[in-house]
Every structure is written in structure tokens, then in C-alpha cells.
Amino acid sequence: MFRTALRNVLAHKARLLMTVLAVMLGVAFVSGTLVFTNTIADAYQKSSAKGFDQVDVAVRAKYQDSEGDRLGKTPDLTQSVLDRSAKVPGAASALGVVNGFTAIADKDGKLIGGGFRSEGGNYWGDKDPRYPLKSGSAPHGGNEVAIDAETARRAGYKVGDTVRISVDGPVLTPKITGIFTTDDGNVAAGGSLALFDTATAQKLFAKPGAYDEIDVRAKAGTSQAALKSALDSALPKKLVETTTGRQLADDQARVISASMSGLKQGLLVFAGIALFVGTFIIANTFTMLVAQRTKELALLRAVGASRRQVTRSVLIEAFVVGTVAGVSGLVAGIGIGVGLRSLMSTLGATVPDGPLVVSPGTVASALAVGIVITMLAAWLPGRRAAKIPPVAAMSSVHAKATTKSLVLRNTLGALFSAAGVAVVLVATTMDGSSGQAPMGLGAVLLIIGVFILTPLLSRPLIAAAAPVLRVFGVSGNLARQNSVRNPRRTAATASALMIGLTLITGMTVMAGSLQQGIDKMAGSAIRADYVVSMANGNELSPHVYTTIKSTDGVTASSPMRNAPARINGQTEFLTGVDGSAIGKLTDLKVDSGTFEVAGPRVVVDADLAKSYGWKAGSSFTAHYEDGKAQKLTVAGVYEGNEMIRGIMLDNTALAPHQSDPSDMQVMVKTAGGASDATKDKLEKALGTNPAIKVQDKEDLSNSVAQMFTLILNMVYGLLAMAVIVAVLGVINTLAMSVFERSQEIGMLRAIGLDRKAVKRMVRLESLVISLFGGVLGIGLGIFFGWAAGELLGAKMATYELVLPWARLGLFLLLAAAVGVLAALWPARRAARLNMLSAIKSE
């Protein structure tokens, strides 16, 4: 039986090629994902580990827990702590570290480093071991800076150039005195690093005389553990905590691994979708192969082969196919991993250098996925063939499914579909977080149910295309009859395309609806013409608000200043605003009371008010970070959203309790409204600062939309894999169908059907099957998009369902294009059949 199975594989090489390709694509995606993420994670881990080479023990301030209603805080690491650290037994040296956000502009005034990865710090003395100088010298004084070599290369800076830099206040224009090399992970990821002398860094980052961290080097012969123990004994344990450099590197490695796991899981989900789609194709292929060899298998049964041996022979074929697909998929996956890494560099994402990582786990996963998926998909056709009695198989009385099996299949499909719809509908009534798992379960049940019911659905839906097919005469009628002749085969072929279009349509409906909700939120909640904020989301200097307020043409402005406070034993963040201007800058619906922010009178969003049982006229006590308390009165309750929510109070009431006030953003209304000229005036008033963004309502919506557009485009690209697999499935099915119907096609040619008509028949059959899958996929996608939107709507009041009809039409055209392209080779093959040879074939 083993030799028989191998002989069958070799005898049907062309027919099994599409199956190998379908499995290979899925395996390639899995192995490529593992190679890519393992390679990137390894490069970052090694890079970050180098960054800790100069640190044997790090000393950091310990956060002090709050007592009663007082807020906790983190103490400063002073010069005295640094001096004591340097003198402990076993310490060779101690170095103070200061860091914070620092934006560097390129020669065109544009921000380098993407905002969030733009860092600044201190250069220790004349020769900092952390940052070896590539050229120039160490910075000294407030008008000098050193920058990393990668940023200098990207922006074209050299020693002696003047550079525009911003921390959180006015733009600085220091001279570049040095260019250094670094293993800093932020720089490796495409960010920038600017270093000042220690006194300047302490002043710029609002830590005069204090440090963020103290790095201690051990003397030769002193271990990191021994040095840590000595520091623990010498320093106050209540105020500081110590960590070895090895532990820091291990912690960083875990953080990198955790951050990569999300990307890995996301990519593996799409690989799973491609494999799921491929499973239908494999099962379809083996069903057709087994059906074609029914008489052969019956003969084996007649000469003594058992059912198990017949099933085993089919599984051996599947094992060989799966092994070939697994090995070729692994090789292709390694290429995909290399390609993805190169793509990141092309898109501007800098990745640390490092070797390609192909772990034994990746190899095992690729082979296991290829073999297991193929054998599972082939098991049912093999088992079904083994159950057919030899005499029935030889006379082909087994060919049609029994009424009992059809009733059982349709009943099972209806139960799965009903359960899936019910679970999804129940999930839409839950809140966003608790409803995700039930909705995922419901979606899986519904897709399985629809797949089981697809043979039943194929007849009425394909019949609906009959009037159009009649236009093509005999070819159209034959195409319709061929499509419904074997509903199970048609269903399996269409389902592969259905799943891909379901996901694409669902994501598109969600993204379009979400964008509409964001636009509506920005338009309805904000009256301000502009919102000013930091490029990295950090806090603004109060100087920004002062500058804007005095700018010509500004009619109203208010900072949005966050401050923690203890309320009823809980920590809440208060939002300080200009009470006289905030009403002109926002348009929030007031549920009760008045929108009055003055003195101790505050306004509260409805969700927070409900959680504390407040209403208009209620009073509560806020304990500020300076330890003082103040009684506040709720003047009104408003409907909050993702952009504005919480407790708003006047800055005149908040400012006395803040030692270092800063603003999250500044809202601005101007006399002429939003325009390019007004925006340019505001940017110039702020010194054309690379760290500060001036955004109108459209900019705010677009900045959020960019993220969703990027995610959506990535999803389209990843799901293209499933569509490619679906195309292979249609080609495979048509090619094997042509082979099955060789005699029939020969007879049609003999009675007058020309080659063009034969080609047209196969193409129309492919088109009908693809459109059938497209209609099902788009219908399911709209349903899932609506259901997911109901979950989002619970958190976003402005969310509303939007059906992008133009894109839905494009997806249907995509399904039609899949059908036309997939039919090219099978149609050509059918037309070129020799009619006499075809008539003689069995």
C-alpha cells in the first residue's frame, strides 16, 4: 500500500501541484513570521544588552506610596546620593544620568525621529564611556550639544553646524560640538539622541542638581551582586532601589520579547487564515482525486485491501504532499523574513544589525503545520472512500449523496449558523471588552455554519445568475449546469474566497464607520479652530500658552492642564482650564446644571458623576499633590467623549497647588477661523518649533485616521495571501473538473461546440463560482462590521454604521477578476483537448 500511495503521488504530480502551492503559502507565512520576529527581537536584545555594558548596578529613586489622601511621589536622586554611591566598597566610578524628550529638527525644520523616539540626556564630563565620540568634542555650556551619528548621517549634520532643538519651551539653536556612536535602542529604532553637559541637561529637564539614575561601575574582581549588596547597605532603602546591569538587560529583553509577541500573534493570525482557506482547497482536491480513483480503490478492496489500508494510502499521499509543502514553505518563509526586514528599512524603520535567526522551533513548526494540516484535510475524503462497498464503487452507484446525508448536513449547518448569529447578537449588547470573546466565538460558529450550508445556498444564488448566463447561449447554460452539478465542490471552492472577502469587507466597514465617528466627534465637541500639543504627546511648557494668548488674531484660548488629586480615597486627574474661555472652545452637551468653570465650581463628565453619585450641586473634597485640600462644587454634568472628559476646574484654583505646572494641549480660537495663513502665524509665533504640532479639526481627525488607514492597508496586504490561496483553489478545482469531464467535453466538441465556446463555458463557470463566494463574503463582512461597530459604539457615542458602497462594489469586481484569472489556464486546457482522445478516455 505504501508503494501504491507513492506511485499515485508521482502519477498525479500536476494535479497535486496546486495543493502543494496552497499549503506552501500558508507555511511560508508562518515560518516567515517566526523568522522575521525572532530576527528583529534578537537584534534589539543584543543591541540593548550592549547599552548596559557600562552599567554594573543602576540606582533609581523608589516611588513613595501615598498616605491617606496624600498623593505619593518619587524623590530626587541628589548629588549626595551620587557621591555616596561612588565611595562604596567595590565601586570604581559612579555616573549621574539625566534624560528627557528632546526634538531635533533637520535642515528643513522638520522633526527627526518620529516624536516618541526623540530623546535627550547628559554627556558626562569630557569623555563619557557610554557614548564614544566619533568626531568633535564633548559639549560644554548651554549653547553646545552632541548628537548621535545616525541622526547626523540622516540629516546631513557635521561638527560645527547649528541645529534647531526643542525640549518643551522655546527653540534652542546650539552648535554641534561632537558626534557620538551609541547602542541606544531608540536610536536603533530610528529615533534621535541629543546630549548636553550635565548642568544644562538638569536645567532643561527641570531637575536642577538631581539625576534620573545613577550608574555605578564595579572595580576589577568585584561582581555585580557584591556591588549591589554594598550599595544596598550604604544607601537608604526607603528612598532608592538598586538593580544589576545583567538584570536590566534581562528585563529589557523580556520587554522587547513581549512587544514583539503582539506583532507575531497578529501575523500568525493571518497565516492561520491562509492555512484555514488552504484546508478547504486540500480537502476539495483530495475529494476529487479520491472520486477519480474510486474504481481503483474498489479494485484494491476487492483483492483484499482493508478499509484502514485504503484510508492509510490516502494519508500517505497527504504526508508526502505535506512534507514537500512544509520544506518548500520553510525555504520561502526564510525569504519572506529577509524581505520583511528589508521592507522595514525601505519604509524608514531602522533596525539594529544582526544575523538571520532560523530557530529549530521555526523549522519544526513549518514541517508540523504543512504535514498536519494536509493530513487532517485528506483524512475525511480517504475515510469516505474506504467506506464505499467495492461493488457499488465499480458501478458508480455511490456518486450522489443520499437524502439522509444532505438533511443531516443542512440541519447541522442551520444549527451552527443560528448559534453563531445568536452569540454575535448577544455580544453586541455587552460592553467593548467583555463582548470581544463572545463575538469572536459567534463569528467562527457562523462562518462554519455558512460553509456547511454553502451547497444548499449555491443553487438559488447561482440560479439568480441564469438570466445573465442565457445571453451567452449554450456556453452560458452549460456553465450554470456545471456550477450546480456538484454543489459540495462548488461550495468548497467558493468558501475559500468567501472567507478572505468576509474579513476584508468587515475591516473596511469598521474603518469607514470609525472614521465617520471620529470626524463627527471632532466637529461636535470642539469649537476651537486649533489644538496645540507636543509631537510626542508629552506636556507643553506654560510658555506656549502665554505666547499663544498674546498672538495677534487669537480671540480665545485655554490650556488643558492635568493634575492628580485624591478624591474619596481614589486618584483622579483634574483638568485645569481657563474658565472664562473654555465655553467658547468646546461644544459639549450639558445633561444637568450649567457649564460654569470658575473658582471652586467644576463640571464633571456623566460617567464619572455616575460612578461617584454626583449631580449638579453636589460637593466633594480634592486632596492635591502639595497635601492641601479644597472643597469643590459640581456646577454641571456634561457628556464626555474620547477627546474631552473628566473634572474641569479653573486654573486659578489649581495653580496654587502645583509646583511645576505643564499643559497637555492648548485650544485656540482665532478671528479669521482656520486657514493656512492663520496656522502659519501660530507656528511662527511659537518659533517654528519642531516639537510642537498645531492642528485644526481636520488634522486631528486625519492623525487618528492615519493609524487606522495604516492598519487597514496592512490587513489588506496580509489578507491578499488568503485571496491568492483562494485563486489557486479555483484554478485547481477547474483544472481537475476539466480532467473529469474530458469525455463530456470531447462529445460537445464532436457535436459542434467550437474551442471559443468551450473556453467561454469554463470561464463563465469560474466567474459564477467566484461571484457566489464574493456575494457570501461581502454579506457576512457587512454583518460582522455592523456587529463589531455595536461594540465600538458603546465607547464612542458618535459612532455610526457607514457602508462604503464604492469599495464593496470594488470587492465584488475583485471576486469577478479572481474568477476570470483563475479560468485562463483550465479554459485553454479544455479547448485544446483532442476530441477523439477525450471521447475514448474514462
Side-chain angles (χ1 to χ4, degrees):
M1 293 302 293
F2 181 74
R3 287 196 299 272
T4 301
L6 289 180
R7 190 165 57 249
N8 284 326
V9 171
L10 296 175
H12 303 112
K13 294 188 290 290
R15 287 185 242 167
L16 290 171
L17 176 62
M18 294 299 177
T19 303
V20 171
L21 285 173
V23 182
M24 186 195 77
L25 281 172
V27 173
F29 209 160
V30 171
S31 54
T33 295
L34 295 175
V35 168
F36 171 66
T37 53
N38 289 342
T39 298
I40 298 300
D42 181 72
Y44 274 118
Q45 286 171 9
K46 287 180 178 177
S47 176
S48 66
K50 288 180 184 177
F52 295 113
D53 286 348
Q54 302 298 324
V55 183
D56 287 316
V57 178
V59 180
R60 294 171 175 169
K62 185 185 292 185
Y63 180 76
Q64 305 299 302
D65 293 332
S66 60
E67 299 176 3
D69 287 318
R70 290 179 63 87
L71 291 168
K73 61 179 182 178
T74 302
D76 292 330
L77 292 176
T78 60
Q79 185 65 38
S80 64
V81 176
L82 175 66
D83 294 339
R84 290 169 66 182
S85 300
K87 294 176 182 178
V88 300
S93 63
L95 180 151
V97 178
V98 183
N99 51 48
F101 171 72
T102 302
I104 305 178
D106 60 19
K107 291 185 176 181
D108 295 325
K110 303 297 183 183
L111 176 66
I112 298 174
F116 287 95
R117 294 188 294 268
S118 301
E119 295 293 328
N122 67 313
Y123 193 93
W124 190 257
D126 293 321
K127 191 175 181 181
D128 194 324
R130 300 170 299 168
Y131 308 111
L133 286 169
K134 185 177 180 181
S135 61
S137 59
H140 292 286
N143 199 38
E144 294 185 356
V145 69
I147 64 173
D148 68 272
E150 186 60 26
T151 298
R153 183 191 66 80
R154 292 202 306 265
Y157 284 128
K158 60 183 183 297
V159 172
D161 287 346
T162 298
V163 61
R164 293 173 63 80
I165 287 179
S166 174
V167 177
D168 65 351
V171 173
L172 307 174
T173 54
K175 183 174 72 173
I176 299 174
T177 61
I179 295 174
F180 59 88
T181 59
T182 176
D183 293 312
D184 186 276
N186 285 317
V187 174
S192 63
L193 181 61
L195 300 179
F196 308 89
D197 67 13
T198 299
T200 302
Q202 288 175 326
K203 179 182 178 182
L204 287 174
F205 303 129
K207 303 178 184 74
Y211 303 96
D212 293 298
E213 181 178 304
I214 295 171
D215 293 341
V216 186
R217 292 297 307 275
K219 289 180 179 178
T222 302
S223 67
Q224 290 186 354
L227 179 59
K228 180 180 184 303
S229 179
L231 287 165
D232 287 339
S233 300
L235 301 176
K237 291 183 179 180
K238 288 185 178 181
L239 298 179
V240 301
E241 56 187 2
T242 58
T243 311
T244 63
R246 189 175 297 108
Q247 182 63 48
L248 289 172
D250 291 343
D251 291 344
Q252 184 70 16
R254 278 193 291 272
V255 170
I256 292 171
S257 179
S259 65
M260 292 303 295
S261 68
L263 175 63
K264 182 186 293 187
Q265 289 172 6
L267 291 173
L268 287 176
V269 164
F270 291 100
I273 292 168
L275 284 169
F276 186 53
V277 172
T279 303
F280 293 139
I281 297 169
I282 301 164
N284 204 18
T285 302
F286 274 93
T287 299
M288 296 170 71
L289 285 174
V290 169
Q292 291 170 11
R293 290 167 37 217
T294 300
K295 290 185 179 181
E296 175 190 327
L297 296 175
L299 183 60
L300 289 174
R301 291 286 313 282
V303 297
S306 66
R307 288 184 177 181
R308 285 186 178 180
Q309 286 178 311
V310 171
T311 304
R312 197 178 302 137
S313 71
V314 176
L315 290 177
I316 290 171
E317 289 183 50
F319 176 80
V320 173
V321 171
T323 303
V324 172
V327 172
S328 55
L330 175 62
V331 174
I334 293 172
I336 289 174
V338 174
L340 285 173
R341 181 169 177 174
S342 300
L343 180 63
M344 288 186 69
S345 299
T346 304
L347 295 175
T350 307
V351 180
D353 292 329
L356 193 69
V357 179
V358 184
S359 66
T362 300
V363 176
S365 297
L367 293 176
V369 167
I371 293 169
V372 171
I373 291 292
T374 308
M375 291 185 71
L376 283 175
W379 174 76
L380 189 59
R383 185 170 176 271
R384 189 185 300 135
K387 281 187 171 183
I388 300 170
V391 176
M394 289 182 180
S395 60
S396 298
V397 298
H398 67 288
K400 291 187 178 180
T402 64
T403 303
K404 181 180 178 182
S405 68
L406 291 174
V407 170
L408 179 62
R409 178 183 181 118
N410 294 337
T411 302
L412 191 63
L415 289 174
F416 268 97
S417 299
V421 171
V423 173
V424 168
L425 291 177
V426 170
T428 59
T429 63
M430 303 178 180
D431 61 46
S433 54
S434 61
Q436 291 175 2
M439 183 162 290
L441 173 63
V444 171
L445 290 174
L446 181 54
I447 288 175
I448 293 173
V450 171
F451 170 68
I452 296 172
L453 286 175
T454 306
L456 179 66
L457 297 172
S458 64
R459 288 187 178 276
L461 288 177
I462 291 176
V468 178
L469 292 174
R470 287 196 192 100
V471 175
F472 297 95
V474 175
S475 297
N477 287 326
L478 289 172
R480 181 183 61 80
Q481 292 170 13
N482 290 335
S483 300
V484 296
R485 177 186 295 181
N486 192 329
R488 289 187 177 182
R489 183 189 303 166
T490 298
T493 307
S495 295
L497 187 59
M498 176 192 78
I499 292 171
L501 283 178
T502 295
L503 295 168
I504 290 174
T505 302
M507 290 296 297
T508 303
V509 169
M510 276 182 56
S513 302
L514 199 58
Q515 179 60 53
Q516 179 86 355
I518 293 168
D519 291 342
K520 192 174 179 181
M521 182 193 305
S524 62
I526 300 176
R527 289 180 182 170
D529 296 318
Y530 295 99
V531 174
V532 180
S533 61
M534 289 288 283
N536 69 332
N538 279 2
E539 298 172 332
L540 287 164
S541 166
H543 171 81
V544 173
Y545 168 61
T546 305
T547 302
I548 289 174
K549 190 176 182 179
S550 59
T551 300
D552 183 43
V554 173
T555 58
S557 61
S558 172
M560 306 289 280
R561 182 172 299 171
N562 280 358
R566 298 285 288 183
I567 299 172
N568 294 349
Q570 301 292 323
T571 300
E572 298 288 351
F573 280 88
L574 310 178
T575 301
V577 298
D578 184 330
S580 62
I582 193 64
K584 303 173 186 175
L585 300 166
T586 58
D587 189 16
L588 300 166
K589 183 181 177 183
V590 179
D591 291 340
S592 62
T594 59
F595 198 84
E596 180 187 354
V597 182
R601 295 178 64 79
V602 301
V603 292
V604 184
D605 77 80
D607 290 339
L608 192 64
K610 183 178 179 182
S611 66
Y612 281 105
W614 296 335
K615 56 185 179 180
S618 299
S619 296
F620 61 91
T621 301
H623 297 264
Y624 297 104
E625 54 188 332
D626 64 352
K628 296 180 181 179
Q630 183 180 21
K631 188 176 181 180
L632 302 175
T633 302
V634 178
V637 177
Y638 67 93
E639 290 187 8
N641 54 50
E642 284 70 21
M643 301 183 77
I644 302 175
R645 63 175 56 193
I647 303 171
M648 286 192 211
L649 77 161
D650 195 284
N651 276 327
T652 56
L654 180 62
H657 306 286
Q658 290 186 295
S659 58
D660 183 25
S662 56
D663 305 323
M664 292 305 297
Q665 60 186 33
V666 177
M667 302 177 77
V668 186
K669 193 166 185 62
T670 59
S675 67
D676 291 341
T678 304
K679 184 176 182 179
D680 186 56
K681 182 190 291 185
L682 288 171
E683 288 176 342
K684 286 181 178 178
L686 295 169
T688 316
N689 194 319
I692 297 177
K693 296 188 297 184
V694 179
Q695 297 175 293
D696 58 21
K697 293 179 187 179
E698 186 178 352
D699 293 332
L700 287 172
S701 295
N702 290 340
S703 63
V704 180
Q706 282 176 359
M707 179 181 65
F708 290 107
T709 302
L710 177 63
I711 293 172
L712 191 62
N713 288 337
M714 287 179 62
V715 169
Y716 284 163
L718 294 169
L719 287 176
M721 182 72 73
V723 175
I724 292 171
V725 175
V727 172
L728 291 175
V730 178
I731 296 172
N732 205 11
T733 300
L734 289 173
M736 299 185 76
S737 177
V738 167
F739 178 84
E740 272 187 352
R741 301 189 335 245
S742 295
Q743 190 177 57
E744 175 189 319
I745 292 171
M747 289 293 294
L748 290 170
R749 290 289 316 283
I751 62 175
L753 197 67
D754 60 17
R755 289 186 174 182
K756 284 186 178 180
V758 171
K759 283 184 179 180
R760 192 182 304 121
M761 175 187 71
V762 176
R763 288 171 183 163
L764 289 172
E765 182 182 346
S766 174
L767 183 63
V768 166
I769 292 173
S770 296
L771 285 174
F772 169 54
V775 169
L776 286 180
I778 291 172
L780 283 174
I782 291 173
F783 175 71
F784 290 139
W786 165 81
E790 290 296 300
L791 283 182
L792 288 173
K795 292 187 174 181
M796 183 185 289
T798 55
Y799 182 92
E800 61 182 41
L801 181 67
V802 175
L803 294 181
W805 294 110
R807 287 203 178 187
L808 296 181
L810 186 63
F811 295 157
L812 199 59
L813 287 176
L814 173 65
V818 166
V820 172
L821 292 173
L824 291 177
W825 177 64
R828 186 167 177 268
R829 183 183 175 190
R832 295 181 68 180
L833 283 175
N834 183 288
M835 68 177 73
L836 294 179
S837 300
I839 290 171
K840 284 192 241 180
S841 67
E842 293 185 4

